[in-house]
Every structure is written in C-alpha cells, then in structure tokens.
Amino acid sequence: MRCQRCRGDAVVEVRRHHAAFCSDHFIEFFDRQVQRAIEDERMFTRDDRVLVAVSGGKDSLALWDVLRRLGYAATGLYINLGIGGYSDDSHRKTVAYADAHGADLLVADIPQEFGMSVEELARATRRVSCSACGLSKRYLFNRVAIDHGFTVVATGHNLDDEAAVLLGNLLHWQTEYLARQSPVLSSTHPKLARKVKPLYRIAEREAAAYAIVRGIDYIVDECPNSVGAKSLLYKEALNLLEQASPGAKQSLYWGFLERGRALLGTQGVVALRACVHCGQPTTAEVCAFCRMTERAAERMRVRRGGGAGAPAAAAPVGAAGAPDAGGSG
Amino acid sequence: MKVMIRHQRREVEVRGRRRVRELLVELGVNPESVLVIRGAQLLTHDAQLGDDDTIELRPVVSGGID
C-alpha cells in the first residue's frame, strides 16, 4: 500500500478517508485533524494555558504530544486513582513522557488526599468503579485547573469514545445528556473551566497509531475495572458497522454535531452555584464529590467501630487549596 | 509465524505466507479494533507475512470512559 501523498510505503490506512499514509504524512494528517477541531469548535488559542488530563494511555499522551508540537501551552495533569499496579504503571509512563520531552506535569493523588482509592470510594458508597472514578477525575480536573489558573481542560476523548457515548444516549433516549454532548463544554460559572476534546475528529485506531509512530510508550493494558463496561459493547458494535461501512462512526457523531444537537435546544443548560463545603460549582447545595467522600468517610468510621464523631478515615472532605500537585519534569 | 494477541493474552503459531487481512479473518479479529505490528513497524492490511515473522496484534479499544 502506498502513501497517498508521497507514494512511499504506507504504515497506516485510514479507510474512512479512502487514504493511507507513510509515517511523516500520517503525522501531518493527524496534526491537521486536531488543528481543525480546535479551530472549528473555537476550543482555545495559543494564548490560553491548557491543562491536559493525562492517564498514561494512548489518547491522552497523544493529545499532550500533539498540542505541544503544535505550539500550545499544554501542561499535563496526572491523577493517581490508587488502582494498584495499573496506577503505578500509568504514572510511570506519564512521568517518563514528561521527563523525555521536558513537559510540565502536575500530579494529584486521591488516596493521599482523601484517604482511600477510587475503588474504596466506590465500594463504600455502593457505586460502580467507573462512576466513582469519573466523578473524582472531573472534580479534580476542574479544581486543579481553577487553582492553577488554567483557562481550559483538554481530555483525550476520541471519535470512537464520543460515538459510543452518543450511541448509548440514543439507545436510552437520554435527551438531556444528548443536548449536553459536545466537543466543547463552555464555562458557565467563574469556578468552572472550559472542557474540550481536541481528538474528536481522530479515530481510536489513529490515536494508537500516532502514539506508536511517535515512539510514545503508553500503557496498553486496560484499567482492570473497565471489564464489562457498556462503552466497550457499544464500541464493538460500532466497529462492526465501521468494518462493513468505513466512515460510519464519523457519520454518526459528526452528523449529530452538525444537524442533530440543534434539534435538542437548550435543555442541557443547568444553573450552577458553589458547593457549601468545597466551593466547586454544583447544581446542589453540596457537590456530588463531597457527598461521595463524606459518605465513604462515614462508612469507614462505622466499619472501624468509631461511630459518629470519631476521627475520619478520609482527609477533610473537599479540602480547599490545590491537591498534592508538584512539578515532575 | 508467531502471533501475540495482546487483548486475549495468548500467542498462536500460524504456518504459511499470508497477508495481514487474511490473518485477521482467520483469527476472527475485527481490523478496526487492532493495530498490527512487526518489530516496531506498523503494518497495513495488504502487508505480506512470512513464517519467520513475530507479529503483535495490539488492541486499540479503551473502555470504561464515562
């Protein structure tokens, strides 16, 4: 197979674009798609300070890498979730990337700050792990961004992620979620950072190919808690469609962005106020993260026989100030 | 050739020359869900494979994203 640009040996085929590329021209294709996403959706400019949520996986490391190469001021944020060896490996890969490329990295540590891992938080509050994990990450992404003066938080959600979420929302006609699904979530509160997904034009396979072509050492193994996740089922279904009909995923998601979301109006817009405990924006009096950590701390007290009023197992909930963030390369 | 299927944590031995796309069909793997790697090199679906090759099928699908 030949590169469609230079006729050299191709290494990546992009069937949805009827194209194949050599390494150099694949990087050029990738850059163009990301740049277009940033500009089309007005995500940020080179004057913005961008906080990139980095997990050590292919998507987030690829995002961090491409933003830095394109000249954006991108600082990484790694959150230690306390998921045993998986968290150790993902932390190592993230630090290795930062050290090798001289990239700025902040680190937040959930077990250290809140006294328990996301798995323990999930167990103590009878949530599924992905729910406790997602809630914790969203909370810390925003808090670290606001505390450190970042104007925008970028995550590595790719075309496949967004198409899978869309399929899930459509299957259950979650109209409020559908109305909110977007590559850009604007700031609607002084303490809410804008959230953007610059890889929404990039297929998951292309993000992995980018990481390999760029020589980025990422964590290949999946989070042990993701086994059986619904998103994997939706992705499998979408990949069957994509195999038979290249471009199916982009047609579904980009078509939704161009034509579908306008039909849903503004039902996704909600009024926000400051959480009375931590000050982070929330729709309720106490934010969902504080409620979760408070409940978990209370359960731990009861389990240890302390009862109400005994010393908390977790650190003060929603403690003000920055998480345990430090430079690391 | 030796084929390491990362996401199934298994390794299979396959005999005879064939193209990447034929190998994936034989193994029942959707080409959208993996990258095929020989050494450090990515392979396209028309690449020819031989008995002496060691191939990695690397999954590209991440899950659990909320």
Side-chain angles (χ1 to χ4, degrees):
Chain A
M1 203 173 286
R2 296 277 161 200
C3 172
Q4 75 163 36
R5 302 296 297 278
C6 69
R7 310 309 298 163
D9 286 340
V11 296
V12 185
E13 190 180 1
V14 183
R15 288 176 73 219
R16 66 196 173 98
H17 285 276
H18 308 290
F21 299 105
C22 67
S23 298
D24 288 349
H25 286 117
F26 175 67
I27 299 293
E28 193 180 281
F29 160 81
F30 195 95
D31 290 355
R32 211 168 42 241
Q33 293 297 320
V34 174
Q35 189 61 50
R36 184 168 170 193
I38 293 167
E39 288 172 6
D40 281 3
E41 295 288 330
R42 296 179 184 165
M43 292 183 177
F44 47 80
T45 69
R46 287 182 176 78
D47 294 329
D48 283 300
R49 293 181 68 221
V50 183
L51 186 65
V52 183
V54 184
S55 68
K58 64 187 190 312
D59 303 301
S60 58
L61 285 177
L63 173 61
W64 197 12
D65 186 72
V66 69
L67 292 184
R68 293 182 65 259
R69 283 183 39 259
L70 291 173
Y72 292 100
T75 295
L77 168 63
Y78 175 81
I79 297 177
N80 177 23
L81 303 162
I83 307 175
Y86 175 78
S87 285
D88 296 340
D89 284 351
S90 60
H91 184 220
R92 239 189 326 270
K93 306 269 187 202
T94 304
V95 170
Y97 176 88
D99 287 347
H101 295 83
D104 294 329
L105 175 66
L106 301 175
V107 178
D109 193 309
I110 289 180
Q112 204 171 80
E113 188 173 355
F114 299 102
M116 56 186 102
S117 70
V118 291
E119 289 167 314
E120 289 168 323
L121 279 170
R123 268 197 301 274
T125 54
R126 293 181 189 145
R127 284 171 173 264
V128 292
S129 288
C130 291
S131 160
C133 183
L135 175 59
S136 304
K137 287 192 289 192
R138 284 192 299 275
Y139 178 86
L140 283 168
F141 292 158
N142 189 67
R143 202 184 76 182
V144 174
I146 295 299
D147 288 349
H148 289 261
F150 290 92
T151 41
V152 59
V153 173
T155 57
H157 293 90
N158 55 48
L159 172 61
D160 296 47
D161 296 326
E162 294 304 296
V165 169
L166 177 57
L167 179 61
N169 287 338
L170 286 170
L171 283 174
H172 302 287
W173 284 109
Q174 303 266 28
T175 53
E176 271 188 43
Y177 291 159
L178 284 167
R180 278 205 296 267
Q181 191 176 351
S182 170
V184 177
L185 295 174
S186 303
S187 171
T188 54
H189 187 277
K191 285 194 169 181
L192 187 67
R194 192 179 339 143
K195 312 253 182 351
V196 298
K197 300 169 183 175
L199 299 189
Y200 84 88
R201 298 181 62 86
I202 300 288
E204 191 151 42
R205 193 169 180 277
E206 294 153 18
Y210 175 91
I212 290 169
V213 169
R214 286 278 301 145
I216 297 170
D217 183 20
Y218 64 91
I219 185 160
V220 176
D221 292 331
E222 271 306 296
C223 172
N225 296 324
S226 73
V227 177
K230 272 277 166 44
S231 59
L232 291 175
L233 176 65
Y234 298 151
K235 284 184 174 183
E236 195 179 341
L238 288 166
N239 274 338
L240 282 172
L241 290 172
E242 187 75 22
Q243 187 187 9
S245 177
K249 286 182 280 198
Q250 76 175 42
S251 175
L252 174 68
Y253 185 57
W254 297 1
F256 166 74
L257 294 180
E258 285 163 19
R259 299 184 295 279
R261 62 178 165 175
L263 304 173
L264 293 155
T266 56
Q267 60 179 309
V269 178
V270 289
L272 295 176
R273 54 179 164 163
C275 168
V276 295
H277 290 175
C278 70
Q280 287 291 295
T282 175
T283 53
E285 189 178 336
V286 178
C287 75
F289 183 77
C290 284
R291 289 201 305 273
M292 175 175 74
T293 48
E294 279 173 354
R295 201 170 303 149
E298 182 57 31
R299 288 253 164 84
M300 294 294 270
R301 270 196 294 268
V302 170
R303 203 171 295 164
R304 288 171 188 182
V317 171
D324 183 28
S328 184
Chain B
M1 78 193 74
K2 204 179 284 181
V3 183
M4 292 187 296
I5 310 175
R6 280 284 283 261
H7 52 302
Q8 296 173 359
R9 296 179 189 279
R10 68 185 176 113
E11 194 175 297
V12 295
E13 186 74 34
V14 178
R15 294 239 155 259
R17 281 167 62 82
R18 72 243 302 135
R19 294 190 188 274
V20 165
R21 76 165 66 84
E22 294 160 351
L23 176 72
L24 295 178
V25 169
E26 278 174 57
L27 296 173
V29 174
N30 185 335
E32 295 299 326
S33 67
V34 293
L35 287 170
V36 182
I37 305 169
R38 179 171 53 198
Q41 188 72 30
L42 288 173
L43 300 178
T44 51
H45 293 154
D46 64 339
Q48 191 69 246
L49 305 172
D51 277 343
D52 295 335
D53 285 332
T54 297
I55 305 296
E56 178 189 350
L57 303 190
R58 185 178 294 192
V60 299
V61 180
S62 305
I65 289 174
D66 63 308

